[in-house]
Amino acid sequence: MKKLGKFQLNEKQLGYAMILPSLILVFVVTLWPVAQSFYNSLFDYRLNDPTRSQKMLNATIDLERYADNYFYIEGQLSNLESNADGEVSAAVEQVREVVDSYHGELISNSEISEKIKQIDEMLMNYQPVTDENLKYTEVDNDFAKEYRSALQESAVEFQTIADSTENEQLAQSLSQTSSLLTATSENILESNFIGFANYGKYLKDQRMWQSLGNTVYFTVVSVSFELILGLAIALLINRAFRGRGLVRASVLIPWAIPTAVAAMMWGFLYDGQSGIIGHYFEQIGIISDASWLLSTSSGGLFSVIFADVWKTTPYMALLLLAGLQTIPRSLYEASDVDGANRFQQFIKITLPLLKSSILVALLFRTLDAFRVFDLIYVLTGGGPANATESISIYAYKTLFSQQNFGEGSVLSVIVFLCVALISFIYVRLIGSDLFAGRMK
Amino acid sequence: MKRAGIGFYIFLIIFVFLVMFPFIWVFLTSIKPVGEIFTSFKWFTTNPTLSSYEAALTNRPLMRYMLNSFVVSSITTLLSVGFAAFAAYAVTRLPIRGKGLFLGIVLAASMFPQIAIISPMFNLITSLGLRNSYFGLVIPYITISLPLSIWVLSTFFQKIPFELEESAKLDGASPFQTFRKIIFPLATPGIFTTGILVFIAAWNEYLFALTINSDDLWRTVPVGISMYQSEFSIPWGDISAATVIVTIPIVILVLLFQKRIVSGLTSGSVKE
């Protein structure tokens, strides 16, 4: 008995050890990025704007630029001091005092002064500062605000003197220093934490609502067609016949090819000039012009839905067929004896017993359809005039075409919340059946 | 079972034809001379030619795309099925707590939209210096493939009779020996099936491949194919030939393993 107890414990340890790597991976590659997306969405965070390419909870100084500018301020102020006299000299003196006192306060922090020393050395050697921990330093919000406005005020003062003085050379060096001071004030970056402001913006954004509407429309229409057609096909082929293998293979191939490749194929079939589908539809008289398919908004939506139905109905049929095959024949035989007709059998036997298969298939299909990206991106690019743009495509364009990671993250969080809501509803409907066959 | 009549076979032929029609048409187009593609809707050309294939292979590095896709999908499959085999075994057959929680996390992870993962993942891969490399895609692909593998594999592990472990225990095998020598070999078909599904999923991925490997030499098949169209002209001849070339491996895979693929797809979607 004692030995068995030890064995149990070992089994448990082994179990946790075996789960651990997967758990860590799932956290690192899925849960952490989603949390990060949410965090990013709270900032005005743009990769292509140097003053906003960082997420700054507090005021931050771009030390590389600051150190460089400060070096020149020192030189120019000394220069002005030796050339100016009277009132101007006093003004220069005062600015120097102000800058020195703020700079002194900044480098009184030993960590920052160490960083500045290192950066100065790198600047001397014309080395770019790539280490972001070295390049940026957080500072106190009030200090940053005061220092920035002190620099701006000094800049204005110098410019005023420059405008009024008659000494042209002095005026030129004063206005030069003035713009240097302004530039330095811009190296002191404000926090770009904006909280939920972007959410407010996107909740009022018409393009967001349109793309969300497109996504919902696409999801509801294509998944409904896939379910009805898939169920019909599954019911029809749920019998013994020759050539099952051939049917199964032909059904699997559309599912197995990359969506982007399928989208390219359909792009060719729909093409306004050389597309066969457009040509036939026009000849039959379904559409007035072959170019309707890709160049009008209703045609575009029809095209992406049709292509999606083609690609995923077979998958749906396979899942439902597997469900159908678990329904015992005896139930139908018994109801035959009772005199039930085919329709009654379908309503009373097939549908109730198929319910969990249908719901599981619907769950996965709905989520896939809601996340639709590559089919639409390759087939229409979201056009014409954003008529087929799904919310994922809108998010992608904001993230990577505009390089706006803050606003793009807002859109991706919206997608995430919608997906979470859909899953929640389905999981409530399906209940514990979802875990059937995986846990005892 | 109902018997199949002649009407049924006619329906079947029409069904298979409709499903296969895009492939048939694209294949017929790929062997047409380029001029004919834009001028006629005739099904069969009288002058079949392979010039579109030549163009598809020389205008863009299609073989390189295939190699990239193959390497990335293979590494992804090996890694995720490897990790998932351990996790699925532990969840289905070892007495640990929190199984429901673990499976719940895995299921939730498989539902996460890729668009909500892409920007932090892009930053991560960039800071690791892995853009335009194989591992730059393998890491994000784990996002998709690991939950899928764990989910499918756990049904396969669950189906193996529990008596086998009991007797292994009695014979004095350690838990890990039981896994390695008894359960793992029995689960090989299931592991293989899971591998095929993961491979196909990785082969087909588009969003991560589009953003992370933007250099033409590192593109995968789906992204590479979508780059054949330029802003000014769409070379339908090249595209249809390229489509045929990249579809052939998939067709072979499906023909060889169709039964396994179906069993993997439907595992767990039905109660048994």
PDB file of all heavy atoms in Angstrom, chain A residues 133-145:
ATOM      1  N   ASN A 133      16.688  51.526 -23.114  1.00  0.00           N
ATOM      2  CA  ASN A 133      16.791  51.835 -21.688  1.00  0.00           C
ATOM      3  C   ASN A 133      17.769  52.968 -21.435  1.00  0.00           C
ATOM      4  O   ASN A 133      17.651  53.700 -20.462  1.00  0.00           O
ATOM      5  CB  ASN A 133      17.241  50.599 -20.903  1.00  0.00           C
ATOM      6  CG  ASN A 133      16.098  49.649 -20.711  1.00  0.00           C
ATOM      7  OD1 ASN A 133      14.951  50.070 -20.610  1.00  0.00           O
ATOM      8  ND2 ASN A 133      16.409  48.367 -20.685  1.00  0.00           N
ATOM      9  N   LEU A 134      18.749  53.072 -22.323  1.00  0.00           N
ATOM     10  CA  LEU A 134      19.735  54.129 -22.182  1.00  0.00           C
ATOM     11  C   LEU A 134      19.186  55.433 -22.775  1.00  0.00           C
ATOM     12  O   LEU A 134      19.342  56.510 -22.223  1.00  0.00           O
ATOM     13  CB  LEU A 134      21.019  53.705 -22.904  1.00  0.00           C
ATOM     14  CG  LEU A 134      22.199  54.663 -22.843  1.00  0.00           C
ATOM     15  CD1 LEU A 134      22.619  54.860 -21.388  1.00  0.00           C
ATOM     16  CD2 LEU A 134      23.364  54.098 -23.640  1.00  0.00           C
ATOM     17  N   LYS A 135      18.504  55.297 -23.906  1.00  0.00           N
ATOM     18  CA  LYS A 135      18.060  56.460 -24.666  1.00  0.00           C
ATOM     19  C   LYS A 135      16.967  57.249 -23.926  1.00  0.00           C
ATOM     20  O   LYS A 135      16.955  58.465 -23.959  1.00  0.00           O
ATOM     21  CB  LYS A 135      17.541  55.986 -26.015  1.00  0.00           C
ATOM     22  CG  LYS A 135      17.152  57.093 -26.990  1.00  0.00           C
ATOM     23  CD  LYS A 135      16.852  56.473 -28.343  1.00  0.00           C
ATOM     24  CE  LYS A 135      15.885  57.279 -29.157  1.00  0.00           C
ATOM     25  NZ  LYS A 135      16.524  58.320 -29.942  1.00  0.00           N
ATOM     26  N   TYR A 136      16.055  56.529 -23.288  1.00  0.00           N
ATOM     27  CA  TYR A 136      14.937  57.220 -22.644  1.00  0.00           C
ATOM     28  C   TYR A 136      15.050  57.122 -21.135  1.00  0.00           C
ATOM     29  O   TYR A 136      15.472  56.103 -20.608  1.00  0.00           O
ATOM     30  CB  TYR A 136      13.613  56.582 -23.066  1.00  0.00           C
ATOM     31  CG  TYR A 136      13.329  56.772 -24.529  1.00  0.00           C
ATOM     32  CD1 TYR A 136      13.613  55.763 -25.447  1.00  0.00           C
ATOM     33  CD2 TYR A 136      12.774  57.950 -25.005  1.00  0.00           C
ATOM     34  CE1 TYR A 136      13.355  55.925 -26.795  1.00  0.00           C
ATOM     35  CE2 TYR A 136      12.511  58.128 -26.350  1.00  0.00           C
ATOM     36  CZ  TYR A 136      12.800  57.115 -27.237  1.00  0.00           C
ATOM     37  OH  TYR A 136      12.542  57.295 -28.568  1.00  0.00           O
ATOM     38  N   THR A 137      14.665  58.199 -20.455  1.00  0.00           N
ATOM     39  CA  THR A 137      14.603  58.102 -19.004  1.00  0.00           C
ATOM     40  C   THR A 137      13.325  58.778 -18.523  1.00  0.00           C
ATOM     41  O   THR A 137      12.906  59.799 -19.069  1.00  0.00           O
ATOM     42  CB  THR A 137      15.850  58.735 -18.351  1.00  0.00           C
ATOM     43  OG1 THR A 137      15.844  58.389 -16.975  1.00  0.00           O
ATOM     44  CG2 THR A 137      15.864  60.237 -18.493  1.00  0.00           C
ATOM     45  N   GLU A 138      12.722  58.146 -17.543  1.00  0.00           N
ATOM     46  CA  GLU A 138      11.496  58.730 -16.996  1.00  0.00           C
ATOM     47  C   GLU A 138      11.854  59.828 -16.014  1.00  0.00           C
ATOM     48  O   GLU A 138      12.825  59.700 -15.270  1.00  0.00           O
ATOM     49  CB  GLU A 138      10.687  57.653 -16.267  1.00  0.00           C
ATOM     50  CG  GLU A 138       9.817  56.853 -17.196  1.00  0.00           C
ATOM     51  CD  GLU A 138       8.751  56.074 -16.452  1.00  0.00           C
ATOM     52  OE1 GLU A 138       8.670  56.182 -15.216  1.00  0.00           O
ATOM     53  OE2 GLU A 138       8.001  55.367 -17.128  1.00  0.00           O
ATOM     54  N   VAL A 139      11.085  60.909 -16.006  1.00  0.00           N
ATOM     55  CA  VAL A 139      11.319  61.964 -15.017  1.00  0.00           C
ATOM     56  C   VAL A 139       9.979  62.332 -14.379  1.00  0.00           C
ATOM     57  O   VAL A 139       8.917  61.954 -14.863  1.00  0.00           O
ATOM     58  CB  VAL A 139      11.951  63.225 -15.660  1.00  0.00           C
ATOM     59  CG1 VAL A 139      13.387  62.957 -16.026  1.00  0.00           C
ATOM     60  CG2 VAL A 139      11.156  63.683 -16.847  1.00  0.00           C
ATOM     61  N   ASP A 140      10.102  63.103 -13.315  1.00  0.00           N
ATOM     62  CA  ASP A 140       8.910  63.540 -12.610  1.00  0.00           C
ATOM     63  C   ASP A 140       8.056  64.427 -13.529  1.00  0.00           C
ATOM     64  O   ASP A 140       8.571  65.284 -14.240  1.00  0.00           O
ATOM     65  CB  ASP A 140       9.358  64.333 -11.377  1.00  0.00           C
ATOM     66  CG  ASP A 140       8.175  64.861 -10.603  1.00  0.00           C
ATOM     67  OD1 ASP A 140       7.419  64.012 -10.107  1.00  0.00           O
ATOM     68  OD2 ASP A 140       8.005  66.098 -10.537  1.00  0.00           O
ATOM     69  N   ASN A 141       6.733  64.192 -13.527  1.00  0.00           N
ATOM     70  CA  ASN A 141       5.844  64.924 -14.431  1.00  0.00           C
ATOM     71  C   ASN A 141       5.928  66.441 -14.244  1.00  0.00           C
ATOM     72  O   ASN A 141       6.003  67.195 -15.215  1.00  0.00           O
ATOM     73  CB  ASN A 141       4.399  64.491 -14.223  1.00  0.00           C
ATOM     74  CG  ASN A 141       4.116  63.178 -14.924  1.00  0.00           C
ATOM     75  OD1 ASN A 141       4.776  62.853 -15.915  1.00  0.00           O
ATOM     76  ND2 ASN A 141       3.166  62.434 -14.410  1.00  0.00           N
ATOM     77  N   ASP A 142       5.926  66.896 -12.957  1.00  0.00           N
ATOM     78  CA  ASP A 142       5.939  68.342 -12.697  1.00  0.00           C
ATOM     79  C   ASP A 142       7.251  68.962 -13.147  1.00  0.00           C
ATOM     80  O   ASP A 142       7.276  70.030 -13.756  1.00  0.00           O
ATOM     81  CB  ASP A 142       5.730  68.603 -11.195  1.00  0.00           C
ATOM     82  CG  ASP A 142       4.316  68.239 -10.789  1.00  0.00           C
ATOM     83  OD1 ASP A 142       3.441  68.280 -11.670  1.00  0.00           O
ATOM     84  OD2 ASP A 142       4.112  67.897  -9.607  1.00  0.00           O
ATOM     85  N   PHE A 143       8.345  68.246 -12.828  1.00  0.00           N
ATOM     86  CA  PHE A 143       9.665  68.738 -13.234  1.00  0.00           C
ATOM     87  C   PHE A 143       9.721  68.907 -14.757  1.00  0.00           C
ATOM     88  O   PHE A 143      10.161  69.923 -15.279  1.00  0.00           O
ATOM     89  CB  PHE A 143      10.742  67.755 -12.761  1.00  0.00           C
ATOM     90  CG  PHE A 143      12.103  68.051 -13.315  1.00  0.00           C
ATOM     91  CD1 PHE A 143      12.859  69.114 -12.810  1.00  0.00           C
ATOM     92  CD2 PHE A 143      12.638  67.296 -14.353  1.00  0.00           C
ATOM     93  CE1 PHE A 143      14.113  69.396 -13.335  1.00  0.00           C
ATOM     94  CE2 PHE A 143      13.886  67.587 -14.879  1.00  0.00           C
ATOM     95  CZ  PHE A 143      14.626  68.645 -14.360  1.00  0.00           C
ATOM     96  N   ALA A 144       9.218  67.881 -15.470  1.00  0.00           N
ATOM     97  CA  ALA A 144       9.259  67.921 -16.939  1.00  0.00           C
ATOM     98  C   ALA A 144       8.467  69.106 -17.451  1.00  0.00           C
ATOM     99  O   ALA A 144       8.899  69.835 -18.337  1.00  0.00           O
ATOM    100  CB  ALA A 144       8.702  66.616 -17.504  1.00  0.00           C
ATOM    101  N   LYS A 145       7.290  69.314 -16.850  1.00  0.00           N
ATOM    102  CA  LYS A 145       6.431  70.397 -17.294  1.00  0.00           C
ATOM    103  C   LYS A 145       7.108  71.754 -17.073  1.00  0.00           C
ATOM    104  O   LYS A 145       7.141  72.600 -17.978  1.00  0.00           O
ATOM    105  CB  LYS A 145       5.127  70.336 -16.485  1.00  0.00           C
ATOM    106  CG  LYS A 145       3.933  70.913 -17.200  1.00  0.00           C
ATOM    107  CD  LYS A 145       2.697  70.589 -16.386  1.00  0.00           C
ATOM    108  CE  LYS A 145       1.483  71.267 -16.954  1.00  0.00           C
ATOM    109  NZ  LYS A 145       0.311  71.050 -16.105  1.00  0.00           N
TER     110      LYS A 145
END
